[in-house]
Amino acid sequence: MQPIGSKGRRRRILRWASTLVLLGLAACAGKGHLGARPGRDPVVGQPTEESKEQNRYFYFLRGYRDGLQGETDTAIDAYEKAIELDPSSPYLHLSLARLSLKTGRPEDALREAQRVVSLDPDHVDGYSLLAGIYSASNRIEEAIEAYQRVLELDADREKTRLFLSSLYATSREYDKAVEILQEMIGRRPDSFVGYYYLGRLYAKQELFGKAEESLKKALELSANSEVVLLDLARIYELQKREQEAVEIYQRILEQDPGNLLVRDRLGQVY
């Protein structure tokens, strides 16, 4: 367990560090012959390659710092200036996309995320962000394609498999949804979330025997998981196996006597 306040200290240190680097780069970008414009060649008055690089880092770090401090408008402006200096950087477009999404600009975020994957077709984080934007916009087919691309690039992304399975279930493609979760369990036999969501998926299809089996597998990995116990008890109720449901509710109350939800369920079963 981390000491209380350690995260806050690290964030403050990070802010100070980024500010110091920012000021240092600003000083470098402003160096030149006396009377020359900062960041420009003193002879021809045009930006040099070195000054462009310095200015790009300057604006990126300013955007990063302002984003941490909640100054989103100036952060977006800084990222846009950095992109003007280096429009082919997937990372700059990704940073702007994430901040745009965070500040309620989904169309801007979508445009920037699409730019990321067009610049780098193997950019896994770009596809992941793009899939999330499509999903939130109810563009299910495009979200599925993007999540599939993420898994092609990084097959170990467990959350991506959960999202993809959920989208297939939303589209009522239950066989594909189940297949995704089974692949997850095949790769990680100790995947608690894999067994748990597989059990919920089977229950949604009223395949109660398979649902019970999967949820019990989840309990083998986390014996006192309340969410799994509640789902298992509910399955027993739906099958009119009231006594088994009661035993589970009582088991939960032994751990959490003040659980009003479970007391209510127990009262309804009785």
Side-chain angles (χ1 to χ4, degrees), residues 1-15:
M1 178 178 290
Q2 295 178 341
I4 295 175
S6 62
K7 290 184 178 178
R9 286 197 298 274
R10 285 203 304 272
R11 175 165 289 185
R12 288 195 296 273
I13 291 170
L14 180 59
R15 287 178 182 173

Side-chain angles (χ1 to χ4, degrees), residues 11-12 14 25-26 29 35 51 56 70 87 99 102 108 115 134 136 146 153 176 185 188 198 225 228 234 237 241:
R11 175 165 289 185
R12 288 195 296 273
L14 180 59
L25 288 174
S51 67
R56 179 172 71 94
L99 187 57
K102 182 179 178 181
D108 294 342
R115 184 64 177 153
Y134 282 143
L153 296 168
K176 290 183 178 179
I185 293 169
R188 285 191 55 188
L198 184 59
S225 173
V228 179
R234 184 59 181 156
E237 284 189 56
R241 296 161 63 181

